[in-house]
Amino acid sequence: MKTLTVDLGERSYPIYIGAGLLSQKELLTPYVSGSQVMIVSNDVVAPLYLEQVKKLFVDFQCQHVILPDGEKYKTLSDLNLIYDALLSNHFDRYCTLVALGGGVVGDMTGYAAASYQRGVNFIQIPTTLLSQVDSSVGGKTGVNHALGKNMIGAFHQPSCVIADINTLNTLEDNQLSAGLAEVIKYGFIRLPEFINWYENNIDTLLARDPQALSYAIEVSCQCKAEIVAADELEGGIRALLNLGHTFGHAIESGTGYGNWLHGEAVGIGMLMAADLSCREGWLTDQDVQRVKKIIEASRLPVLLPKIMTYEKFMDLMRVDKKVRDGKINFILYNKLGDAKITHNFSAEHLRQTIEHFQVTK
Ligand SMILES: NC(=O)c1ccc[n+]([C@@H]2O[C@H](COP(=O)([O-])OP(=O)(O)OC[C@H]3O[C@@H](n4cnc5c(N)ncnc54)[C@H](O)[C@@H]3O)[C@@H](O)[C@H]2O)c1
Ligand SMILES: [Zn+2]
């Protein structure tokens, strides 16, 4: 088992990464507050892992609530299912919520924990690669709005994160690839050496080699933990973690939540950011080809869905959280392994980039 720490002073918390952690009761119980535990999961993950996880909480008054599966249910109205379960079971403000599932369950449970009785304790048990390397760490919680992704939310840090890599064995192949998009993101943002490692290990990762997966999760969580510790509320450097996400969020909401996986949208978004950076003269054509090869080899799409025209992108990107004073800020590259936030790019280049990835070309 590997233990990392998100260093946030009194609110610091550990990330445990390893195989078989869901049978280690002693690992978890120190992070439970109060006597009441509400496990939040969904109808895909619960049949696989709920019974096992309930055993970890036999010493507590443990209940569960099962959400419908999928990004399209990451809404305010579905969030009510969690509040309903908490209130009807008389949960007090010392209770603990446990998120058992991928990023959707994690973000929703986190937001329920941030808002229930003005804030209660919560534990993250991420079960997708994407949630183990990204969404379970850092305290961003929330739900979507029909007009914009993750637009309703709060910062609320968990008291611990338990990433059991055995849970990845039941994941669909396309979900594994979606998680890999967030893994390679850390390389593109600030770990040039890790890009090399990733290129040499893509096939091993896709074959779910436990050692390769553990290493990729550790590097990712370490990178995210450092960035979050330096800038918890995203005043500066944390924004770099949104590489590919301005394009990606537009694709996710433009195609209808759930039709494109978050990681798929982020994958092509990072490639589009490379293309735009190249048009600005910051990356070479070879750099862009390298990014494209990595995205393709990770079995992620490199062409846009037809519906994502230039006009559609512009409409959707205007509500992105990185818009400030009417200007769209993008995360672009100084070079591969060194990202920056900027609004200094040509509008014409942005149009060319979007059109370049359209299927009709
Ligand atoms: N909070 C953050 O910082 C942050 C960061 C990145 C992404 N996100 C959010 O995370 C979400 C995406 O997360 P995700 O990719 O985990 O999606 P997800 O939660 O929808 O999970 C993907 C699918 O895999 C299923 N699943 C989960 N664990 C499984 C397992 N072990 N075996 C089999 N199936 C399993 C889920 O039920 C779902 O059908 C998006 O809503 C995104 O906005 C948040
Ligand atoms: Zn993401």
Side-chain angles (χ1 to χ4, degrees):
M1 182 180 78
K2 181 92 180 174
T3 308
L4 304 172
T5 305
V6 183
D7 186 358
L8 290 168
E10 282 182 354
R11 288 173 299 113
S12 295
Y13 57 92
I15 306 169
Y16 298 112
I17 302 162
L21 303 188
L22 292 192
S23 37
Q24 295 186 29
K25 195 170 135 205
E26 355 40 88
L27 200 61
L28 247 154
T29 37
Y31 303 98
V32 179
S33 64
S35 57
Q36 299 166 307
V37 172
M38 180 66 72
I39 302 174
V40 183
S41 193
N42 71 25
D43 50 25
V44 169
V45 178
L48 298 167
Y49 301 108
L50 182 62
E51 281 318 306
Q52 190 179 356
V53 169
K54 283 203 123 178
K55 291 196 184 118
L56 303 172
F57 299 106
V58 285
D59 303 331
F60 299 87
Q61 181 198 326
C62 180
Q63 306 277 344
H64 63 266
V65 52
I66 309 297
L67 306 175
D69 174 49
E71 183 77 31
K72 65 174 182 291
Y73 300 108
K74 189 181 169 183
T75 65
L76 270 177
S77 65
D78 291 284
L79 197 65
N80 267 319
L81 295 169
I82 306 178
Y83 301 130
D84 291 348
L86 291 167
L87 285 164
S88 58
N89 287 288
H90 311 292
F91 270 51
D92 61 32
R93 67 193 178 93
Y94 306 98
C95 70
T96 297
L97 270 56
V98 176
L100 173 66
V104 171
V105 165
D107 282 12
M108 291 177 77
T109 309
Y111 189 59
S115 49
Y116 185 65
Q117 305 218 15
R118 302 201 179 87
V120 297
N121 181 39
F122 92 111
I123 290 172
Q124 287 272 18
I125 305 184
T127 60
T128 61
L129 180 59
L130 187 139
S131 56
Q132 294 188 353
V133 300
D134 193 352
S135 62
S136 63
V137 175
K140 278 194 189 178
T141 73
V143 294
N144 300 328
H145 186 279
L147 297 180
K149 168 101 178 143
N150 295 336
M151 278 291 149
I152 322 287
F155 284 100
H156 189 61
Q157 300 291 346
S159 55
C160 83
V161 179
I162 302 207
D164 184 339
I165 65 164
N166 285 354
T167 60
L168 303 180
N169 292 331
T170 51
L171 209 56
E172 302 274 351
D173 286 342
N174 62 344
Q175 298 289 355
L176 189 79
S177 288
L180 288 177
E182 303 276 15
V183 169
I184 188 56
K185 179 183 80 178
Y186 296 105
F188 290 151
I189 291 171
R190 64 173 200 169
L191 303 173
E193 293 290 312
F194 185 60
I195 305 177
N196 300 334
W197 180 88
Y198 185 91
E199 284 173 317
N200 293 327
N201 287 276
I202 296 181
D203 293 337
T204 328
L205 288 165
L206 287 168
R208 303 178 199 223
D209 173 78
Q211 263 163 5
L213 281 173
S214 278
Y215 179 72
I217 296 166
E218 280 164 39
V219 171
S220 302
C221 286
Q222 182 63 41
C223 185
K224 180 142 188 194
E226 282 169 16
I227 291 177
V228 168
D231 177 23
E232 184 184 6
L233 303 180
E234 198 165 314
I237 185 182
R238 185 166 180 176
L240 300 182
L241 292 171
N242 294 309
L243 175 67
H245 283 60
T246 302
F247 291 118
H249 285 165
I251 297 169
E252 279 184 90
S253 73
T255 52
Y257 296 119
N259 288 316
W260 267 56
L261 299 181
H262 176 74
E264 290 174 339
V266 168
I268 190 169
M270 294 189 294
L271 176 56
M272 292 172 76
D275 182 275
L276 181 53
S277 303
C278 178
R279 287 174 204 275
E280 293 296 325
W282 304 322
L283 289 187
T284 63
D285 283 332
Q286 289 89 322
D287 289 329
V288 181
Q289 284 316 309
R290 188 176 176 205
V291 174
K292 184 172 181 213
K293 256 179 104 173
I294 289 174
I295 301 299
E296 274 181 320
S298 309
R299 302 193 190 139
L300 292 162
V302 292
L303 284 173
L304 289 171
K306 266 213 180 88
I307 191 175
M308 292 310 297
T309 58
Y310 173 73
E311 289 71 25
K312 183 113 183 163
F313 262 107
M314 296 312 288
D315 265 359
L316 289 163
M317 292 193 304
R318 279 191 195 103
V319 292
D320 191 87
K321 285 194 279 327
K322 280 162 296 305
V323 172
R324 188 165 180 169
D325 303 329
K327 284 187 176 146
I328 304 177
N329 280 294
F330 271 95
I331 315 303
L332 298 176
Y333 302 83
N334 285 316
K335 50 183 195 253
L336 292 188
D338 180 11
K340 62 176 169 190
I341 182 160
T342 180
H343 56 256
N344 287 323
F345 54 85
S346 115
E348 181 49 30
H349 285 161
L350 175 59
R351 174 192 290 276
Q352 288 169 2
T353 290
I354 293 170
E355 287 175 354
H356 180 75
F357 289 95
Q358 273 159 0
V359 185
T360 45
K361 290 279 291 181

